[in-house]
Amino acid sequence: MNILIIGSGGREHAFAWKIRQSPKIDQLFIAPGNAGTSEIGTNIEIGVTDFPAIRNLVLNKHIGMVLVGPEVPLVEGIHDFFLADELLKDIPVIGPARQGAMLEGSKDFAKQFMIRHGIPTAAYFSVTKDNVEEGISFLRSLKAPYVLKADGLAAGKGVLIIDGLGEAEQSVRDMLDGMFGQASATVVIEEFLSGIECSVFAITDGKDYKILPVAKDYKRIGEGDTGLNTGGMGAISPVPFADEAFMKKVEERVIIPTVHGLQQDGIQYKGFIFFGLISVDSEPFVIEYNVRMGDPETEAVILRIKSDLVDLFEGVAQGNLSDRHIDIDPACAATVMLVAGGYPGEYKKGDVITDMDKTSGSILFHSGTRNKGNEIVTNGGRVIAVSSKGKDIEEALNLSYKNASTIKFNNKFFRSDLGFDLLKK
Ligand code: AMP
Ligand code: GLY
């Protein structure tokens, strides 16, 4: 079978690397891909929301399955586009249709869904310009800090956590006035939950599900989880506090009610569900849903999946996931993200990356890279995800750190404290 992966980051390179190992794959295409994916498949320079161009590619290259990496094409309805097209409708898309993608595309929708299905989450109130004063009253009833979320997609920037009530009230008004454009025309005001976060992933055919390895991602740019939020500076899997007892609660209180809830609401869902969780005194609460895999979590988690991913995808497509098997490696995995200096603020692109061939023992998943003549140059804030396995987290991290130091490009930066919060315990 020929497979098309939509996207261009480390997550998509990790998927490509794993799918390449499947006996079921013939040709692998990535749109648009990066320098890393070009080594194991064919990159096609098409934007992730250019559905007509994707259609031509799928028909010309006899694609038998499409895996959607990022959320934007899902929220914009790529799956629905396929279902509505006579020639595409039988080609499976791994990733939910627009209605299911609302779990990520609208925080208000996700909150209503969780309340309706009894899934533990922070108390909230949604405001628009029509009910600002009620929203402000709700805000005043909460304890600091205050959590404000743009309802729609805001490229990971739409969440504000504010200490002062006055500033929070002003921010609600600023958000409604377009701080995040149309995405903050509705604002979700949320109770702040204090705890430690982890990322749980499941794949579902709409009826059954398989749980993938759990991971923890490090979102802040600075050591000790300080400074600005990024797309993710690294990841570790498994997560020591997400033990069997915790995961049992997650499955019973979060995963099963989510899959059943989708069914009850008549939403057909085929793809990944990413549960952004917070453990409050060992009780799981859902912070957010994403309708795709995490990045950089995928770059760690993928090393621990022993089974054939394409076989699981076929189970999703055919609605017989319950007949498939997921085999998970008990070893640990760690990913260290190399970023361009300045990220997540302004940074340069086009710097030459060298010495990747001098690394050993890790797998280098490219995030923001491209080919330029015979060289590979930086092409994004997050540049390379250095992923390793080990018998424990320390061993996996040490290997990634050794290779992270070997790779060279101008103003390279990475966090050297990953795992600090898990290992000291
Ligand atoms: P997001 O961009 O949606 O991933 O949210 C960014 C971060 O905000 C999350 O990873 C959490 O660390 C934090 N956050 C979101 N909602 C809450 C909440 N209700 N309580 C505490 N922290 C939160
Ligand atoms: N690593 C978090 C995300 O992919 O949203």
Side-chain angles (χ1 to χ4, degrees):
M1 176 168 48
N2 295 347
I3 296 184
L4 169 65
I5 302 175
I6 308 275
S8 64
R11 167 182 53 210
E12 288 75 22
H13 187 189
F15 275 136
W17 172 84
K18 181 69 180 164
I19 288 172
R20 243 294 151 241
Q21 295 163 35
S22 170
K24 298 177 191 250
I25 180 84
D26 294 315
Q27 293 184 70
L28 179 59
F29 296 90
I30 308 93
N34 60 39
T37 62
S38 75
E39 288 169 14
I40 50 177
T42 306
N43 286 353
I44 308 279
E45 193 54 46
I46 292 179
V48 299
T49 54
D50 188 349
F51 299 166
I54 291 171
R55 177 181 192 275
N56 286 340
L57 172 67
V58 165
L59 297 176
N60 290 337
K61 301 293 183 188
H62 309 288
I63 303 290
M65 179 181 283
V66 179
L67 168 62
V68 185
E71 64 278 13
V72 172
L74 294 168
V75 172
E76 291 193 8
I78 189 169
H79 197 144
D80 312 73
F81 176 86
F82 272 64
L83 291 176
D85 187 295
E86 210 37 54
L87 297 178
L88 300 182
K89 68 179 179 3
D90 295 323
I91 299 171
V93 175
I94 306 301
R98 195 183 268 123
Q99 242 196 331
M102 293 266 287
L103 283 180
E104 179 165 1
S106 165
K107 302 226 185 257
D108 178 54
F109 176 91
K111 283 299 219 181
Q112 290 189 34
F113 178 89
M114 287 186 265
I115 301 297
R116 185 160 64 245
H117 298 293
I119 296 164
T121 189
Y124 83 107
F125 189 89
S126 290
V127 268
T128 62
K129 284 200 161 168
D130 296 332
N131 63 348
V132 191
E133 296 315 321
E134 279 174 79
I136 298 292
S137 302
F138 176 75
L139 190 66
R140 289 180 183 155
S141 76
L142 298 175
K143 281 197 277 232
Y146 304 95
V147 181
L148 308 179
K149 300 183 172 181
D151 175 58
L153 292 185
K157 296 190 171 68
V159 177
L160 302 182
I161 297 182
I162 297 172
D163 288 324
L165 181 61
E167 193 193 332
E169 289 184 19
Q170 188 55 46
S171 295
V172 170
R173 297 182 199 279
D174 292 345
M175 287 173 86
L176 293 173
D177 281 337
M179 185 194 273
F180 298 103
Q182 199 45 41
S184 61
T186 298
V187 173
V188 172
I189 302 172
E190 237 178 70
E191 164 199 17
F192 180 84
L193 297 176
S194 185
I196 182 158
E197 289 174 61
C198 66
S199 306
V200 168
F201 304 99
I203 186 164
T204 180
D205 60 4
K207 304 190 301 279
D208 296 290
Y209 61 87
K210 303 279 184 213
I211 302 175
L212 277 55
V214 57
K216 182 164 198 307
D217 126 13
Y218 290 82
K219 289 202 173 94
R220 303 293 197 92
I221 188 72
E223 315 261 304
D225 285 340
T226 55
L228 293 174
N229 253 324
T230 70
M233 297 296 290
I236 282 171
S237 176
V239 182
F241 74 81
D243 55 12
E244 212 173 301
F246 181 79
M247 288 306 292
K248 185 162 182 281
K249 292 179 194 168
V250 172
E251 185 166 11
E252 287 171 357
R253 299 178 195 172
V254 176
I255 300 177
I256 293 173
T258 298
V259 174
H260 285 176
L262 288 165
Q263 279 179 302
Q264 277 169 22
D265 292 352
I267 299 176
Q268 286 206 12
Y269 194 111
K270 287 177 180 291
F272 292 102
I273 313 178
F274 168 165
F275 305 88
L277 301 181
I278 189 160
S279 165
V280 181
D281 300 326
S282 299
E283 305 299 322
F285 287 79
V286 178
I287 290 275
E288 62 168 353
Y289 284 110
N290 295 309
V291 298
R292 49 167 176 89
M293 283 296 288
D295 192 344
E297 291 97 323
T298 306
E299 293 95 301
V301 161
I302 208 98
L303 299 188
R304 302 189 53 222
I305 300 175
K306 291 206 271 188
S307 7
D308 180 359
L309 210 49
V310 179
D311 183 62
L312 288 173
F313 291 161
E314 283 181 338
V316 169
Q318 294 163 14
N320 57 15
L321 189 61
S322 61
D323 300 342
R324 316 281 168 150
H325 184 68
I326 182 161
D327 195 8
I328 294 180
D329 189 333
C332 293
T335 295
V336 174
M337 188 64 80
L338 307 184
V339 306
Y343 173 79
E346 297 224 342
Y347 58 85
K348 260 185 67 196
K349 290 183 185 179
D351 284 318
V352 178
I353 307 168
T354 63
D355 293 351
M356 286 195 277
D357 54 341
K358 298 200 176 112
T359 62
S360 66
S362 295
I363 298 174
L364 309 182
F365 293 124
H366 292 215
S367 293
T369 68
R370 67 182 176 84
N371 293 301
K372 188 179 174 193
N374 293 329
E375 294 178 318
I376 294 178
V377 300
T378 64
N379 194 37
R382 296 194 293 173
V383 178
I384 307 252
V386 184
S387 294
S388 317
K389 264 199 325 201
K391 66 176 186 314
D392 51 28
I393 293 174
E394 284 96 331
E395 191 177 278
L397 270 173
N398 287 341
L399 190 51
S400 283
Y401 277 131
K402 179 170 89 59
N403 289 317
S405 303
T406 303
I407 299 168
K408 297 205 165 45
F409 57 88
N410 266 340
N411 295 317
K412 177 188 76 177
F413 175 74
F414 58 88
R415 262 181 71 170
S416 44
D417 69 334
L418 301 186
F420 76 97
D421 50 341
L422 303 178
L423 299 179
K424 69 185 171 204
K425 296 207 176 101

